[in-house]
Amino acid sequence: MSAFVSSPTALNDPAEHAELVSIARALVPLLRSHAAETERRRNPAPEVDVALRQAGLYTLTAPRKFGGREAGIRTVVDVFAELARGCGSSSWVGKVHCAAAFIASLFGDQAREDIWGMDSHAAVSATASGAATNTARSTPDGIRVTGEWRYATGIHQAQWVLCRVSIDAGTAAEPDVRHALIPAADIVIEDTWDMAGMEGTGSDSFTVHDVFVPEYRTLPVPNLRGDQRWREGERVYHTPVATWLPVSVAGPVIGMAQGALQHVLETLAGGKSITGSLYTDAIRSPSVQLAVAEAASLIDTARLHAYRAAADIEAASIEGRRLDVATRARIRMDNGVVMQRCREAMEQLLDTGGTSAFRRSNPLQRFWRGLATLSRTRGVSPSLNKEIYGRALLGIEEQVVEVI
C-alpha cells in the first residue's frame, strides 16, 4: 500500500520518494531495538537521534537551497509511517521536526540562513500552544519575549524553537500574533512530560526570559495560510499549515498500527495456542484469521484516506490554487477516518494477543498506548472533524474551527 504512483500532482518524483522511504525503512531495526530504552529515557535514544539527523529526516521539508528535500505531504506520511513501525515516539519526534522546518521555511532567507546556513541538519522544534505567562513587547528592531510553552516535542534535539506570541497584548490597537524563532541556547527546558503513551517523545515545556528576537525572525500567523507570495520553485510551501499539520499526523499513527500488525503476524507465525480452547496453533482459528484480515484492511483504509488528502493538498500547491472550504473540511474528515480506522485495527490485534499483549515487555502494548495517545492530538479528532465536514456538506458557513 506504500507504492508511489507517478502523478503530475506529486511534489516529490517517484525516484526521490522511493529513496526517502527506503532510507526510513533501513532505520526501522535500529528504532525497534531502542524503543524500550527510548520509553525509559522519555526521549529518543542518542543513537536514534544521530541516525535520524544524519539521514536528513529532521529536515525533509526544509528548502533544497539549504540542504533539505522540500518533501511533499505524501512523502512525509510514508517516511514517518515507516519509522513508526520501529518506534512511534522516535517517529513522532522526527515528524515534529519536519513540521517545524516546514513552518520555518516560510520565513525570509535571512532567518533560514540563521537556521541552516551553517548546519543543514539543524533541527527546529515547535509548539502550537500559547503561554499563559506570555509577554512579547515590541522594540524598534524586533521584540522581547518572556513566557512558557508546553508540549514541545523534540525540544531536546532542537537547535531552534518556534513559539507563538501576541505582541503588546492588551495595549496594541489590533492583535499582532506571530511565530517567533528563538535559538535553543536561549531557552530553559522544564521536565513536565508525563504521559501514558508516546512517553519517549520528550515533549517537555520550555521557558524564555526577556529574550530579544529580531524582526526578521518573526512571522505573522496569517502567513501560515499558504496564500503569501511564492519563492521561485518552492511551491510546496503554498499549502496552508493548518491543513498540512493534521494530515502529517497520519504517518506515525498508520505506522504504529502497521508495526502492531507486523508484530502479531510474527508472533502467530512462531506458534501460539489459544488458551482455554482446543486450538494449539492460533493461526488455525477462523476468529484469528478474520481478526488479522480485518486489521490489515482497516489500516489499508486509513492509508488510502491519508493518500487522498495528501493528493489534494499537493495538487493545489502545484497548481497555485487555494483549497476551498469544502475540500479542506473533507480533508479534516479524511484525517479523522485515519485515526478511527487505526484505533479499530489496534483493537482487533489486541484481541488476538489476549492478556499477554499487555506485558511491559510486549511491543504490542507500546504501539497501543502510543496510537491511543497520538490519535487524540490536536486537529485529528474523528468526532469534531466529522462535525466540521457535516456542516460544510450542509452549507453551514459558520464553522466550529477555522478550516484554513
Side-chain angles (χ1 to χ4, degrees), residues 242-253:
T243 301
W244 190 99
L245 283 177
V247 176
S248 70
V249 179
V253 170

Side-chain angles (χ1 to χ4, degrees), residues 195-211:
M195 303 289 280
M198 305 302 287
E199 290 177 278
T201 62
S203 302
D204 286 316
S205 302
F206 69 90
T207 61
V208 300
H209 179 70
D210 196 30
V211 170

Side-chain angles (χ1 to χ4, degrees), residues 272 275 350-360 362 364-365:
K272 182 182 185 300
T275 304
L350 288 170
D351 287 344
T352 68
T355 55
S356 64
F358 298 92
R359 284 199 302 261
R360 283 283 183 179
N362 192 326
L364 190 56
Q365 55 79 28

Side-chain angles (χ1 to χ4, degrees), residues 132-184:
T133 60
N134 170 265
T135 59
R137 55 187 177 83
S138 57
T139 68
D141 50 356
I143 58 174
R144 301 201 73 89
V145 180
T146 296
E148 178 181 2
W149 291 261
R150 62 184 57 189
Y151 305 135
T153 297
I155 194 67
H156 296 273
Q157 291 76 35
Q159 284 68 58
W160 293 85
V161 297
L162 280 166
C163 55
R164 184 174 291 202
V165 298
S166 182
I167 300 173
D168 298 329
T171 60
E174 298 289 338
D176 186 3
V177 182
R178 305 188 197 182
H179 280 284
L181 182 63
I182 299 174

Side-chain angles (χ1 to χ4, degrees), residues 18-98:
E19 175 200 355
L20 294 171
V21 172
S22 178
I23 289 171
R25 185 175 299 126
L27 291 174
V28 170
L30 175 69
L31 270 63
R32 183 180 292 130
S33 69
H34 288 284
E37 178 191 356
T38 288
E39 190 162 80
R40 286 194 303 272
R41 291 171 54 89
R42 296 189 298 128
N43 208 18
E47 297 88 344
V48 171
D49 173 36
V50 169
L52 295 178
R53 188 186 303 272
Q54 290 183 347
L57 299 184
Y58 287 166
T59 52
L60 279 182
T61 55
R64 293 186 189 276
K65 67 186 288 185
F66 290 102
R69 296 294 194 110
E70 293 180 22
I73 187 64
R74 167 66 188 272
T75 297
V76 170
V77 168
D78 279 346
V79 163
F80 292 101
E82 280 293 323
L83 293 177
R85 292 193 301 111
C87 175
S89 288
S90 298
S91 172
W92 181 242
V93 168
K95 201 291 299 181
V96 170
H97 284 317
C98 276

